[in-house]
Amino acid sequence: MKPFAKLLIAATAALSLSGCGFLSIKDNLDPQAMDTYMDLYNNFVESGGDLGAATVWRVKVNKGVSTDDIGEAFKSAALGTGLLNVGEMPLSKEIEARTGQKQRYLHIYQFCNPITARQATDFSPYFSAYLPCRISVVEDEKGELWLYSLNMDMFVHGGKMMPEPFRTEAIKVRDTIWKMMQAGAKGEF
């Protein structure tokens, strides 16, 4: 999108939102909130209107990295961060057991730092719906593996300013999930 068009959209949004009370909350927002939502909007448009593509991180797994390597890389990257593996959902195996038919790989890993989860829920009980943090390993139609996780920039920067020390802890969770995805994609552990 051309810079002038982006500016026009932002100006139009700001003017239209002012009647909806936006101006009354803008001073309480994280300084990166508008940039975060502009990125989401751009991803939404570029994807042809796919909400998932707008709100989720996606990383391609390098060739030669096995699904076992990915899991080990996640564990290694999470060590010492406070994020615990709180569950796994081997969905493709479960579907195979139920149907007797081979499935493309689909496995969801769930991670949580209980202290940060409590802070998040105290800050806004709506955040409880995002718990725990998840990273999905998905095999596409071509047999290639991809990693997906909620875009944690929305969590950290998408709304009202978080108080300390919760903000610092939320950024650590965001950075750790991203680090885990990068490590998983490369099979680094």
Side-chain angles (χ1 to χ4, degrees):
M1 184 179 286
K2 297 186 182 205
F4 177 73
K6 285 183 183 181
L7 180 62
L8 183 60
I9 289 170
T12 303
L15 289 174
S16 65
L17 291 173
S18 64
C20 299
F22 175 75
L23 292 178
S24 67
I25 65 164
K26 73 175 180 60
D27 292 337
N28 295 331
L29 294 178
D30 184 280
Q32 296 178 43
M34 293 310 291
D35 290 338
T36 297
Y37 282 106
M38 196 58 164
D39 288 344
L40 296 176
Y41 175 78
N42 288 338
N43 292 339
F44 181 73
V45 171
E46 288 172 13
S47 70
D50 186 331
L51 181 61
T55 59
V56 169
W57 287 332
R58 179 173 97 148
V59 177
K60 187 174 183 180
V61 176
N62 291 352
K63 290 192 184 304
V65 175
S66 72
T67 56
D68 288 339
D69 291 342
I70 294 168
E72 289 301 315
F74 289 164
K75 289 177 194 173
S76 180
L79 279 177
T81 67
L83 276 181
L84 306 173
N85 182 336
V86 295
E88 295 182 27
M89 298 167 47
L91 297 176
S92 52
K93 286 183 182 179
E94 179 64 27
I95 297 168
E96 288 173 7
R98 291 181 184 202
T99 66
Q101 297 176 3
K102 180 75 174 146
Q103 299 291 310
R104 285 182 283 128
Y105 192 80
L106 175 58
H107 193 109
I108 301 172
Y109 292 84
Q110 300 175 93
F111 300 92
C112 190
N113 179 324
I115 295 169
T116 306
R118 176 79 264 169
Q119 291 173 330
T121 304
D122 288 347
F123 178 70
S124 172
Y126 296 104
F127 278 145
S128 66
Y130 292 100
L131 300 173
C133 298
R134 291 172 293 281
I135 303 175
S136 302
V137 182
V138 179
E139 181 182 4
D140 69 13
E141 301 83 15
K142 298 176 187 174
E144 296 176 323
L145 295 173
W146 294 84
L147 307 179
Y148 295 87
S149 187
L150 183 66
N151 180 334
M152 299 289 287
D153 291 331
M154 292 186 312
F155 168 60
V156 175
H157 303 296
K160 60 185 177 179
M161 189 68 170
M162 296 172 171
E164 290 296 347
F166 170 49
R167 186 175 200 283
T168 297
E169 292 305 312
I171 290 170
K172 284 182 190 175
V173 170
R174 180 248 181 249
D175 292 349
T176 300
I177 293 294
W178 183 249
K179 177 183 169 188
M180 292 168 70
M181 291 180 75
Q182 297 303 308
K186 297 172 186 164
E188 295 177 345
F189 48 91

